[in-house]
Amino acid sequence: MRNQPLYILTEDLNFFYIIKSELDKYKIYFQILNLDSKIPDIPSIILTTSNEFKKRGNKNRVNFLVYSKNNDFGKYFLHVIAAVRIGYKKYYSTLTFSIDPGKKLGLMVFLDDYYLDSYCCFEKSDFFAIIHKYITIFEEENPTLMKLNFKLGRGVLDITYDLVKQIYIMFQNRKYLRVCLIDEFKSSQFKLPKNTIGKKFTKDEISALILAFRFGIDVRFDNYDDIFNQLRMKKIFIKKTKTEQSKNHDEPLLSLDEVVEKVLSGKLTLSNAIEIINANNA
């Protein structure tokens, strides 16, 4: 269940300080519970420490995210972000990475079809470290491997080719892996509306978001070399996607600005956004 109230329950001042600082940075609203407060009898998320969980945990309808001093805080906080933006789940099933390749790499991360976070990577090594971190953290103790989707802009073919090659080196034996090449037509021209979710996005991140809305060409481990050769020789083309306005039966649905705002604020899934954006491009 998404959009559950978020609470902090702790007397550990160090934990309170670091978790509050991170939540404030992400502009995530929370409430504070005292140890003698009644645990809410509604579906909710409570951030607490292992010592305090032993005293107050195991309440019905409440999801506790428990931090131990032996845990890596960055890993713990990633689960907090996931619980807030996607909804608390014991296991998640799908990670989608949308990439705008270039001297800097824009990266948008979606978890179970909802926006999770974004990055501007100055080195390819940074990009691969980030995706490896996300996959490792969300697959930990997960009984099944997650589905991995990669959507890459193909504006500079040599850069995109190298990324695809490295992806297949890392994941060539993976069962649920999809790699898709996307046309970058006008993806860098979109300007993000102000006050979207409080975070400042680079133009590379926004380009990666626009690419996530588009269809493209799927490639596999056994054919990506051939497809890139055909693209270089212009024997195949990737369909351009118009994203200025979506309509259905001549009635406007949502502007691109509205779609972007709703995706970044968690009001719209990536799949719904793709359907809206491409309504006129079937």
Side-chain angles (χ1 to χ4, degrees):
M1 184 181 295
R2 301 181 62 248
N3 302 318
Q4 295 180 355
L6 180 69
Y7 300 93
I8 298 177
L9 173 65
T10 187
E11 287 187 338
D12 184 324
L13 294 181
N14 185 57
F15 173 70
F16 178 80
Y17 174 78
I18 58 174
I19 193 66
K20 178 183 182 302
S21 296
E22 288 301 303
L23 292 172
D24 287 344
K25 185 170 72 174
Y26 278 79
K27 300 188 182 301
I28 295 173
Y29 175 76
F30 62 89
Q31 300 176 63
I32 299 171
L33 290 175
N34 297 320
L35 286 185
D36 58 355
S37 300
K38 182 180 179 181
I39 298 295
D41 188 27
I42 57 173
S44 54
I45 301 167
I46 295 181
L47 312 181
T48 191
T49 64
S50 55
N51 289 335
E52 288 151 336
F53 176 72
K54 292 174 184 177
K55 302 174 185 176
R56 301 294 302 273
N58 301 317
K59 300 292 182 180
N60 292 336
R61 307 179 74 186
V62 173
N63 298 308
F64 284 89
L65 285 175
V66 181
Y67 176 72
S68 169
K69 291 181 179 179
N70 297 324
N71 296 148
D72 176 84
F73 181 79
K75 170 182 170 182
Y76 170 79
F77 190 70
L78 191 52
H79 280 284
V80 173
I81 293 291
V84 170
R85 292 187 172 166
I86 288 84
Y88 176 86
K89 297 181 182 181
K90 188 173 182 180
Y91 305 117
Y92 297 91
S93 62
T94 306
L95 274 166
T96 298
F97 302 99
S98 184
I99 305 110
D100 176 40
K103 292 183 179 179
K104 294 180 292 183
L105 282 76
L107 172 62
M108 281 276 164
V109 183
F110 297 86
L111 180 64
D112 284 3
D113 216 23
Y114 283 95
Y115 165 73
L116 181 61
D117 214 338
S118 62
Y119 299 88
C120 182
C121 306
F122 290 87
E123 302 289 342
K124 285 187 291 184
S125 58
D126 297 333
F127 162 74
F128 284 107
I130 289 169
I131 65 172
H132 183 266
K133 177 186 74 172
Y134 275 87
I135 295 166
T136 300
I137 288 174
F138 287 113
E139 282 192 339
E140 187 175 39
E141 300 181 5
N142 194 328
T144 58
L145 291 178
M146 299 184 75
K147 297 177 181 178
L148 303 182
N149 301 314
F150 291 88
K151 304 185 77 169
L152 299 99
R154 45 131 297 187
V156 183
L157 277 180
D158 288 343
I159 295 176
T160 305
Y161 174 83
D162 186 56
L163 291 173
V164 171
K165 181 179 179 179
Q166 291 300 315
I167 288 168
Y168 276 115
I169 288 173
M170 292 176 68
F171 305 114
Q172 62 178 295
N173 296 319
R174 197 169 185 104
K175 185 176 180 181
Y176 300 109
L177 174 66
R178 183 187 180 202
V179 179
C180 185
L181 305 181
I182 312 293
D183 192 280
E184 294 187 23
F185 178 69
K186 291 187 176 180
S187 64
S188 62
Q189 296 183 12
F190 178 76
K191 303 296 182 182
L192 186 69
K194 293 182 179 180
N195 302 319
T196 302
I197 63 169
K199 175 180 176 176
K200 291 184 178 180
F201 295 89
T202 66
K203 64 181 183 65
D204 305 280
E205 291 169 86
I206 295 304
S207 292
L209 177 61
I210 300 302
L211 295 177
F213 298 154
R214 299 180 176 180
F215 297 123
I217 297 176
D218 285 350
V219 298
R220 304 186 308 272
F221 176 70
D222 61 357
N223 74 356
Y224 77 87
D225 268 316
D226 181 57
I227 287 178
F228 272 95
N229 286 333
Q230 291 186 60
L231 287 169
R232 290 187 182 99
M233 294 185 290
K234 298 183 178 180
K235 290 185 177 181
I236 57 174
F237 298 90
I238 299 175
K239 181 182 177 181
K240 292 181 173 62
T241 303
K242 296 180 181 178
T243 56
E244 284 77 13
Q245 181 78 29
S246 297
K247 296 181 180 179
N248 186 19
H249 302 297
D250 297 324
E251 293 295 326
L253 290 174
L254 294 172
S255 68
L256 181 58
D257 284 6
E258 291 171 314
V259 171
V260 166
E261 188 278 328
K262 288 182 179 295
V263 168
L264 293 178
S265 62
K267 299 174 183 176
L268 196 66
T269 66
L270 178 59
S271 295
N272 291 148
I274 290 171
E275 183 178 352
I276 292 169
I277 290 297
N278 292 278
N280 266 357
N281 298 295

